[in-house]
């Protein structure tokens, strides 16, 4: 049983207490520093930048009316009115919005705390979530590797990634997609540990009970004997289902995380039953773990998603809110059994899907998903070109700029590391490599189905934590296995620390073009290495 416990769970918790404390200190320090730089000058620039013009105003509309409304007809420069303390810019006409409300409610929370006219307020929730995600990713890396240096590396790399940094300081939705997906991933890692502890504890008694006993006559009992013990109710999976429902309730791309993570968690159970020695480990996993996982996570996510539309349900005047009244279902049909509010919501969703699939307009900052990880076309969020004497400019020409340009030690490192990690997963059977790839698969690969649609590289923030994990997986190879000599591990640790220091130096150098710090034009050009970055 001790051998089984070691195979399922790794080193005993008692041997990891000191390393865990060191990891906590390093992760909290990275979170503190990352949080400080995200909140400093959060209110600059005091104007709606890029797609804040949609989501910030829609968030306050949700707060006021429970649904989104269109800007009042004939109103001139509503963005300027909104930011100058006159947020009443709406008429009585509902607005066709094409993203669910969760992310906008999160933006609205900051607006409620600090006022809708406060640029600090409408970016507050993004900064909080961006900061907390550093902490959560550090703990995720700890659960994966049980190594303090690698856990601190994960938190540090996310803290100094420019792409994540910019979106932690902007009132957009994708940072919330990232957050709910990352939180669900964390919950599933906790579920993995709990399930393996249960299997290790129950396997011995189950084996003793069935060894030497007569073969049951009942087909079901024979199957149960073949599969291994039940692992009980999986509450962390329930929490993951809620989190993935909120992820989908921010943007529909959350559905891909639900699918990928659902398969991943069952795959982990399959590996556990196989390691324990269950004869029918494949079928047993499908029946004992896979079907319950589906029934626990998918309906939970669906119910959570529908509940997120409560504001639309309980108010009058939302887009297509009364569609079912003017489109009654045929008497006696299955549709007639569905409440009118749900039929109206379905009709609304059909229209949303039509919009998303048919979005094909030219935009200067659109990009193909093939180019995202190499940062071929980072999205420009804001730019102004002050002259001498304007906005503190002390030379002839200056630049005030915000670009969602990722840290190359994260993005280029992950691009090079993807094949290495894929090899570790498929041929080395390293479950941690598969876990790192799962978020990349869920957050990136589906966009290749929509290459003719207008899409942007800033969507990639949804899977940046898993790109960090890909890099950390490679840094783990540099560090060396726990069985390596102290000298080998020492030099490996030096190499990891040097890599982190270079990533931090890159972030410091590029901070001005992430946070709209006025730069002389020639200094700005020194940072913009390629024409496609500008």
């Amino acid at each position: 049983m001790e051998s089984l416990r070691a195979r399922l769970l790794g080193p005993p918790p008692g041997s990891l207490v000191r390393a865990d404390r060191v990891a906590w200190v390093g992760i909290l320090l990275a979170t503190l520093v990352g949080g400080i730089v995200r909140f400093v000058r959060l209110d600059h620039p005091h104007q709606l930048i890029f797609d804040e013009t949609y989501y910030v105003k829609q968030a306050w509309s949700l707060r006021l009316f429970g649904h989104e409304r269109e800007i009042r007809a004939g109103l001139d420069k509503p963005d300027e009115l909104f930011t100058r303390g006159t947020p009443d810019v709406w008429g009585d006409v509902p607005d066709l919005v094409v993203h669910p409300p969760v992310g906008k409610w999160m933006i609205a929370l900051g607006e409620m705390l600090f006022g809708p006219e406060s640029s600090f307020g409408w970016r507050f929730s993004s900064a909080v979530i961006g900061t907390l995600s550093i902490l959560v990713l550090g703990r995720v890396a700890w659960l994966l590797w049980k190594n303090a240096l690698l856990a601190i590396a994960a938190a540090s790399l996310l803290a100094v990634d420019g792409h994540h940094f910019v979106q932690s300081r902007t009132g957009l939705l994708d940072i919330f997609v990232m957050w709910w997906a990352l939180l669900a991933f964390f919950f599933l890692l906790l579920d993995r540990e709990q399930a393996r502890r249960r299997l290790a504890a129950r396997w011995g008694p189950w084996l003793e009970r069935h060894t030497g006993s007569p073969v049951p006559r009942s087909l079901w009992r024979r199957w149960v004997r073949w599969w291994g013990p039940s692992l009980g109710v999986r509450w962390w999976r329930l929490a993951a289902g809620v989190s993935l429902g909120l992820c989908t309730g921010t943007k529909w791309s959350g559905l891909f995380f639900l699918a990928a993570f659902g398969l991943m968690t069952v795959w982990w159970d399959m590996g556990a039953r196989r390691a324990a020695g269950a004869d029918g480990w494949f079928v047993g996993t499908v029946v004992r773990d896979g079907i319950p996982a589906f029934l626990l996570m998918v309906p939970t996510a669906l119910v959570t998603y529908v509940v997120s539309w409560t504001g639309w349900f309980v108010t009058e005047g939302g887009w297509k809110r009364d569609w079912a009244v003017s489109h009654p279902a045929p008497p006696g049909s299955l549709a007639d059994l569905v409440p009118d509010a749900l039929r109206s919501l379905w009709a609304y969703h059909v229209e949303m899907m039509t919009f998303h699939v048919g979005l094909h307009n030219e935009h200067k900052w659109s990009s193909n998903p093939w180019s995202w990880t190499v940062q071929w076309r980072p999205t420009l969020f804001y730019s102004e070109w002050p002259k001498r004497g304007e906005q503190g400019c002390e030379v002839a020409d200056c630049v005030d700029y915000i670009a969602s340009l990722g840290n190359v030690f994260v993005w280029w490192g992950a691009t090079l590391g993807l094949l290495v990690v894929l090899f570790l997963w498929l041929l080395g059977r390293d479950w941690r490599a598969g876990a790192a790839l799962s978020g990349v698969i869920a957050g990136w690969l589906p966009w290749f189905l929509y290459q003719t649609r207008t899409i942007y590289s800033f969507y990639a923030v949804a899977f940046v934590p898993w790109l960090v994990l890909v890099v950390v997986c490679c840094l783990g190879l540099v560090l060396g296995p726990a069985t390596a000599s102290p000298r080998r591990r020492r030099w490996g640790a030096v190499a990891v620390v040097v890599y982190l220091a270079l990533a931090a130096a890159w972030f410091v150098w590029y901070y001005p073009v992430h946070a709209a710090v006025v730069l002389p034009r020639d200094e700005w050009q020194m940072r913009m290495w390629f024409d496609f970055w500008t």
Side-chain angles (χ1 to χ4, degrees), residues 60-73:
W60 193 241
S61 178
L62 281 175
R63 165 64 181 83
L64 294 179
F65 312 114
H67 57 268
E68 298 90 342
R69 292 188 180 182
E70 284 190 358
I71 301 300
R72 191 162 55 248

Side-chain angles (χ1 to χ4, degrees), residues 399-456:
V399 180
D400 196 18
Y401 209 74
I402 299 178
S404 63
L405 175 63
N407 192 315
V408 297
F409 289 92
V410 173
W411 293 81
W412 290 3
T415 302
L416 295 173
L418 280 172
L419 286 178
V420 175
V421 175
L422 185 64
F423 176 85
L424 289 175
W425 179 45
L426 294 179
L427 300 182
R429 297 175 62 183
D430 187 336
W431 73 274
R432 297 164 300 185
L437 288 171
S438 67
V440 179
I441 291 170
W444 185 27
L445 293 191
W447 289 108
F448 289 93
L449 301 175
Y450 305 99
Q451 293 187 62
T452 59
R453 181 189 183 275
T454 304
I455 51 181
Y456 306 90

Side-chain angles (χ1 to χ4, degrees), residues 258-471:
L258 176 61
F261 290 174
L263 292 172
M264 176 188 68
T265 187
V266 176
W267 188 273
W268 288 344
D269 284 345
M270 191 175 295
R273 289 189 182 274
R274 184 177 183 182
D279 292 329
W281 52 269
F282 180 82
V283 178
T285 300
V286 171
V287 176
R288 279 201 178 276
D289 306 311
I291 295 174
F294 178 88
L295 295 177
L296 190 62
M297 291 178 63
V298 175
T300 299
L302 176 61
V303 170
T304 302
Y305 177 82
V306 174
V307 169
S308 73
W309 285 85
T310 297
W312 184 86
F313 281 119
V314 301
T315 59
E316 298 294 332
W319 185 267
K320 284 201 168 179
R321 178 62 183 83
D322 299 319
W323 177 89
V325 175
S326 56
H327 297 79
S333 65
L334 290 176
D336 194 32
L337 301 176
V338 180
D340 282 353
L342 289 178
R343 290 202 304 115
S344 296
L345 186 64
W346 177 259
Y348 185 0
H349 278 55
V350 170
E351 190 165 2
M352 290 166 67
M353 177 59 77
T354 301
F355 171 88
H356 285 302
V357 173
L359 184 60
H360 302 289
N361 60 299
E362 293 293 328
H363 194 286
K364 182 179 179 180
W365 295 99
S366 63
S367 62
N368 191 285
W370 285 105
S371 68
W372 287 358
T373 62
V374 295
Q375 293 294 284
W376 187 270
R377 191 61 171 159
T379 311
L380 175 64
F381 279 13
Y382 164 82
S383 65
E384 289 190 357
W385 311 88
K387 302 294 184 182
R388 188 188 301 272
E390 299 174 351
Q391 302 181 35
C393 179
E394 298 178 352
V395 297
D397 294 291
C398 292
V399 180
D400 196 18
Y401 209 74
I402 299 178
S404 63
L405 175 63
N407 192 315
V408 297
F409 289 92
V410 173
W411 293 81
W412 290 3
T415 302
L416 295 173
L418 280 172
L419 286 178
V420 175
V421 175
L422 185 64
F423 176 85
L424 289 175
W425 179 45
L426 294 179
L427 300 182
R429 297 175 62 183
D430 187 336
W431 73 274
R432 297 164 300 185
L437 288 171
S438 67
V440 179
I441 291 170
W444 185 27
L445 293 191
W447 289 108
F448 289 93
L449 301 175
Y450 305 99
Q451 293 187 62
T452 59
R453 181 189 183 275
T454 304
I455 51 181
Y456 306 90
S457 65
F458 74 86
Y459 297 171
V461 74
F463 61 90
V464 67
W466 291 271
L467 291 180
V468 169
L469 293 179
V470 167
V471 174

Side-chain angles (χ1 to χ4, degrees), residues 78-150:
D79 283 7
E80 292 185 14
L81 289 173
F82 190 89
T83 56
R84 291 177 181 176
T86 308
D88 182 17
V89 296
W90 293 278
D92 298 325
V93 179
D95 191 10
L96 168 61
V97 295
V98 294
H99 294 301
V102 170
K104 286 168 281 188
W105 277 116
M106 296 177 75
I107 295 172
L109 179 61
E111 293 176 312
M112 287 186 278
L113 290 173
F114 300 99
E117 73 284 352
S118 167
S119 50
F120 183 92
W122 71 61
R123 295 169 187 151
F124 175 77
S125 294
S126 297
V128 169
I129 291 305
T131 302
L132 290 177
S133 62
I134 298 170
L135 173 64
V136 173
L137 184 63
R139 294 311 297 172
V140 161
W142 169 259
L143 292 173
L144 287 169
W145 285 281
K146 301 294 174 66
N147 180 280
L149 180 56
L150 296 182

Side-chain angles (χ1 to χ4, degrees), residues 242-272:
V242 172
S243 189
L244 290 166
L246 293 170
C247 182
T248 307
T250 303
K251 276 191 171 184
W252 285 356
S253 52
L255 285 171
F256 298 116
F257 287 99
L258 176 61
F261 290 174
L263 292 172
M264 176 188 68
T265 187
V266 176
W267 188 273
W268 288 344
D269 284 345
M270 191 175 295

